[in-house]
Coordinates of all heavy atoms in Angstrom, one line a residue:
R444 N 4.5 -13.1 -2.6 CA 4.4 -14.5 -2.2 C 5.4 -15.4 -3.1 O 6.2 -16.1 -2.5 CB 3.0 -15.0 -2.4 CG 2.7 -16.4 -2.1 CD 1.3 -16.8 -2.2 NE 0.5 -16.2 -3.3 CZ -0.4 -15.2 -3.0 NH1 -0.7 -14.8 -1.9 NH2 -1.0 -14.7 -4.0
T445 N 5.4 -15.1 -4.3 CA 6.2 -15.9 -5.3 C 7.7 -15.6 -5.2 O 8.6 -16.4 -5.1 CB 5.7 -15.7 -6.7 OG1 4.3 -16.0 -6.8 CG2 6.5 -16.6 -7.7
V446 N 8.0 -14.3 -5.2 CA 9.4 -13.9 -5.3 C 10.1 -13.8 -3.9 O 11.3 -14.3 -3.8 CB 9.5 -12.5 -6.0 CG1 11.0 -12.0 -5.9 CG2 9.0 -12.5 -7.4
F447 N 9.4 -13.4 -2.9 CA 10.0 -13.3 -1.6 C 9.6 -14.3 -0.6 O 10.0 -14.3 0.6 CB 9.7 -11.8 -1.0 CG 10.3 -10.8 -1.9 CD1 9.5 -10.0 -2.7 CD2 11.7 -10.5 -1.9 CE1 10.0 -9.0 -3.5 CE2 12.2 -9.5 -2.8 CZ 11.4 -8.8 -3.5
G448 N 8.6 -15.1 -1.0 CA 8.2 -16.2 -0.1 C 7.4 -15.7 1.2 O 7.3 -16.4 2.1
L449 N 6.8 -14.5 1.0 CA 6.1 -13.9 2.2 C 4.6 -14.6 2.2 O 4.0 -14.8 1.1 CB 5.9 -12.5 2.0 CG 7.3 -11.7 2.1 CD1 7.0 -10.2 1.8 CD2 7.9 -12.0 3.5
D450 N 4.1 -14.8 3.3 CA 2.7 -15.4 3.5 C 1.8 -14.2 3.3 O 1.6 -13.4 4.1 CB 2.5 -16.0 4.9 CG 1.2 -16.6 5.1 OD1 0.4 -16.7 4.0 OD2 0.8 -16.9 6.2
M451 N 1.0 -14.2 2.2 CA 0.0 -13.2 1.9 C -1.4 -13.7 2.0 O -2.3 -13.1 1.5 CB 0.2 -12.7 0.5 CG 1.5 -11.9 0.3 SD 1.5 -10.3 0.9 CE 2.5 -10.5 2.5
S452 N -1.6 -14.8 2.7 CA -2.9 -15.5 2.7 C -4.0 -14.7 3.4 O -5.2 -14.7 3.1 CB -2.9 -16.9 3.4 OG -2.3 -16.7 4.7
D453 N -3.6 -13.8 4.4 CA -4.5 -12.9 5.1 C -4.9 -11.7 4.3 O -5.8 -10.9 4.8 CB -3.9 -12.5 6.4 CG -3.8 -13.7 7.4 OD1 -4.5 -14.7 7.2 OD2 -3.0 -13.6 8.3
H454 N -4.2 -11.4 3.2 CA -4.4 -10.2 2.4 C -5.0 -10.5 1.1 O -4.4 -10.3 0.1 CB -3.1 -9.4 2.3 CG -2.4 -9.3 3.6 ND1 -2.9 -8.6 4.6 CD2 -1.2 -9.8 4.0 CE1 -2.0 -8.7 5.7 NE2 -1.0 -9.4 5.3
A455 N -6.2 -11.1 1.0 CA -6.8 -11.5 -0.2 C -7.2 -10.4 -1.2 O -7.2 -10.5 -2.3 CB -8.0 -12.4 0.1
R456 N -7.5 -9.2 -0.6 CA -8.0 -8.1 -1.4 C -6.8 -7.0 -1.6 O -6.2 -6.7 -0.6 CB -9.2 -7.5 -0.7 CG -9.8 -6.5 -1.5 CD -11.2 -6.1 -0.9 NE -11.8 -5.1 -1.7 CZ -12.9 -4.4 -1.3 NH1 -13.4 -4.7 -0.1 NH2 -13.5 -3.5 -2.0
A457 N -6.7 -6.6 -2.9 CA -5.7 -5.6 -3.1 C -6.3 -4.4 -3.8 O -7.1 -4.6 -4.8 CB -4.5 -6.2 -3.9
T458 N -6.1 -3.2 -3.3 CA -6.6 -2.0 -4.0 C -5.6 -0.9 -4.1 O -4.7 -0.9 -3.4 CB -7.9 -1.5 -3.2 OG1 -7.3 -1.2 -1.8 CG2 -9.0 -2.4 -3.1
L459 N -5.8 -0.1 -5.1 CA -4.8 1.0 -5.4 C -5.1 2.1 -4.4 O -6.3 2.3 -4.0 CB -4.9 1.5 -6.8 CG -4.3 0.7 -7.9 CD1 -4.6 1.2 -9.2 CD2 -2.8 0.4 -7.7
A460 N -4.1 2.9 -4.1 CA -4.3 4.0 -3.2 C -3.5 5.2 -3.8 O -2.9 5.1 -4.9 CB -3.7 3.8 -1.7
S461 N -3.6 6.4 -3.2 CA -2.9 7.6 -3.8 C -1.4 7.4 -3.8 O -0.8 6.8 -2.9 CB -3.3 8.8 -2.9 OG -2.6 9.9 -3.3
E462 N -0.8 8.0 -4.8 CA 0.6 8.0 -4.9 C 1.3 9.2 -4.2 O 2.5 9.4 -4.3 CB 1.1 7.9 -6.4 CG 0.8 6.6 -7.1 CD -0.6 6.7 -7.8 OE1 -1.3 7.7 -7.9 OE2 -1.1 5.6 -8.2
S463 N 0.5 10.0 -3.7 CA 1.0 11.3 -3.0 C 1.0 11.1 -1.6 O 0.1 10.5 -1.0 CB 0.1 12.4 -3.4 OG 0.1 12.7 -4.7
Y464 N 2.1 11.6 -0.9 CA 2.3 11.5 0.5 C 2.6 12.9 1.0 O 3.6 13.4 0.7 CB 3.4 10.5 0.9 CG 3.0 9.1 0.4 CD1 3.5 8.7 -0.8 CD2 2.2 8.3 1.2 CE1 3.1 7.4 -1.3 CE2 1.9 7.0 0.8 CZ 2.3 6.6 -0.5 OH 2.0 5.3 -0.9
A465 N 1.7 13.4 1.8 CA 2.0 14.8 2.4 C 2.3 14.6 3.9 O 1.8 13.7 4.5 CB 0.8 15.6 2.3
D466 N 3.2 15.5 4.4 CA 3.6 15.5 5.7 C 3.3 16.8 6.3 O 2.7 17.6 5.7 CB 5.1 15.2 5.8 CG 5.6 14.8 7.2 OD1 4.8 14.7 8.1 OD2 6.8 14.4 7.3
T467 N 3.6 17.0 7.6 CA 3.3 18.3 8.2 C 4.3 19.4 7.6 O 3.9 20.5 7.6 CB 3.7 18.3 9.7 OG1 4.9 17.7 9.9 CG2 2.6 17.4 10.4
N468 N 5.4 19.0 7.0 CA 6.2 19.8 6.1 C 5.5 20.1 4.8 O 4.8 19.2 4.3 CB 7.6 19.2 5.9 CG 8.4 19.1 7.2 OD1 8.2 19.9 8.1 ND2 9.2 18.1 7.2
P469 N 5.8 21.2 4.2 CA 5.1 21.5 2.9 C 5.7 20.6 1.8 O 5.0 20.6 0.8 CB 5.5 23.0 2.6 CG 6.3 23.4 3.7 CD 6.5 22.3 4.7
A470 N 6.7 19.8 2.0 CA 7.2 19.0 0.9 C 6.3 17.9 0.7 O 5.6 17.3 1.6 CB 8.6 18.4 1.4
E471 N 6.1 17.5 -0.6 CA 5.3 16.4 -1.0 C 6.1 15.3 -1.7 O 7.0 15.6 -2.4 CB 4.2 16.9 -2.1 CG 3.3 15.9 -2.5 CD 2.3 16.4 -3.5 OE1 2.1 17.6 -3.6 OE2 1.8 15.5 -4.2
L472 N 5.9 14.1 -1.3 CA 6.5 12.9 -1.8 C 5.6 12.1 -2.6 O 4.4 12.0 -2.3 CB 7.1 12.1 -0.6 CG 8.0 12.8 0.4 CD1 8.3 11.9 1.6 CD2 9.2 13.3 -0.3
R473 N 6.1 11.6 -3.7 CA 5.3 10.8 -4.6 C 6.0 9.5 -4.9 O 7.2 9.5 -5.0 CB 5.0 11.5 -5.9 CG 4.0 12.7 -5.7 CD 3.7 13.2 -7.2 NE 2.8 14.3 -7.0 CZ 1.5 14.2 -7.2 NH1 1.0 13.0 -7.5 NH2 0.7 15.2 -7.1
C474 N 5.2 8.4 -5.1 CA 5.8 7.1 -5.5 C 5.2 6.8 -6.8 O 4.2 7.5 -7.3 CB 5.6 6.0 -4.4 SG 3.9 5.7 -4.2
D475 N 5.6 5.7 -7.4 CA 5.0 5.3 -8.7 C 3.6 4.7 -8.5 O 2.7 4.8 -9.4 CB 5.9 4.3 -9.4 CG 7.2 5.0 -9.9 OD1 7.2 6.1 -10.2 OD2 8.3 4.3 -10.0
A476 N 3.3 3.9 -7.5 CA 2.1 3.3 -7.2 C 2.1 2.9 -5.8 O 3.1 2.6 -5.2 CB 1.8 2.1 -8.1
T477 N 0.8 2.8 -5.2 CA 0.6 2.3 -3.9 C -0.5 1.3 -3.9 O -1.6 1.5 -4.5 CB 0.3 3.4 -2.9 OG1 1.2 4.4 -3.0 CG2 0.1 3.0 -1.5
V478 N -0.3 0.1 -3.2 CA -1.4 -0.9 -3.2 C -1.6 -1.2 -1.7 O -0.7 -1.4 -0.9 CB -0.9 -2.2 -3.9 CG1 -1.9 -3.3 -3.8 CG2 -0.6 -1.9 -5.4
L479 N -2.9 -1.2 -1.4 CA -3.4 -1.6 -0.1 C -3.8 -3.0 -0.1 O -4.5 -3.4 -1.0 CB -4.5 -0.7 0.5 CG -4.2 0.8 0.5 CD1 -5.4 1.6 0.9 CD2 -3.0 1.1 1.4
L480 N -3.4 -3.8 1.0 CA -3.9 -5.2 1.1 C -4.8 -5.4 2.2 O -4.5 -4.9 3.3 CB -2.6 -6.1 1.2 CG -1.6 -6.0 0.1 CD1 -0.4 -6.9 0.4 CD2 -2.2 -6.3 -1.2
G481 N -5.9 -6.1 1.9 CA -6.9 -6.3 3.0 C -8.0 -5.3 2.7 O -8.2 -4.8 1.6
D482 N -8.8 -5.1 3.7 CA -10.0 -4.2 3.6 C -9.5 -2.8 3.3 O -8.7 -2.2 4.0 CB -10.7 -4.2 4.9 CG -12.0 -3.3 5.0 OD1 -12.3 -2.7 3.9 OD2 -12.6 -3.3 6.0
P483 N -10.0 -2.2 2.3 CA -9.5 -0.8 1.8 C -9.8 0.2 2.9 O -9.1 1.2 3.0 CB -10.3 -0.5 0.6 CG -10.8 -1.7 0.0 CD -10.9 -2.7 1.3
E484 N -10.8 0.0 3.7 CA -11.2 1.0 4.8 C -10.3 0.8 6.0 O -10.1 1.7 6.8 CB -12.7 0.8 5.3 CG -13.7 1.0 4.1 CD -13.6 2.5 3.6 OE1 -13.4 3.4 4.4 OE2 -13.6 2.6 2.4
S485 N -9.7 -0.3 6.2 CA -8.8 -0.6 7.3 C -7.7 -1.6 6.8 O -7.7 -2.8 7.2 CB -9.6 -1.2 8.5 OG -8.7 -1.5 9.5
P486 N -6.8 -1.2 5.9 CA -5.8 -2.1 5.4 C -4.9 -2.7 6.3 O -4.5 -2.1 7.3 CB -5.1 -1.3 4.3 CG -5.3 0.1 4.7 CD -6.6 0.2 5.5
A487 N -4.5 -4.0 6.1 CA -3.5 -4.6 6.9 C -2.1 -4.3 6.5 O -1.2 -4.5 7.4 CB -3.8 -6.2 6.9
L488 N -1.9 -4.0 5.3 CA -0.6 -3.8 4.8 C -0.7 -2.8 3.5 O -1.6 -2.9 2.8 CB 0.1 -5.1 4.3 CG 1.4 -5.2 3.8 CD1 2.4 -4.9 4.9 CD2 1.7 -6.5 3.2
G489 N 0.3 -2.0 3.5 CA 0.5 -1.1 2.3 C 1.8 -1.3 1.6 O 2.8 -1.5 2.3
V490 N 1.8 -1.4 0.3 CA 3.0 -1.6 -0.5 C 3.2 -0.5 -1.4 O 2.4 -0.1 -2.2 CB 2.9 -3.0 -1.3 CG1 4.2 -3.1 -2.1 CG2 2.6 -4.1 -0.4

């Protein structure tokens, strides 16, 4: 919201998620952190 001017009003709740991403290929991808915005059971946005 502050840096990029994006409207985040609909995403009041932020929760952490796994940093691991598996695909149908055996390769595994990892990021430093993942944050879900909105309801954790049905997030509206993932960062």
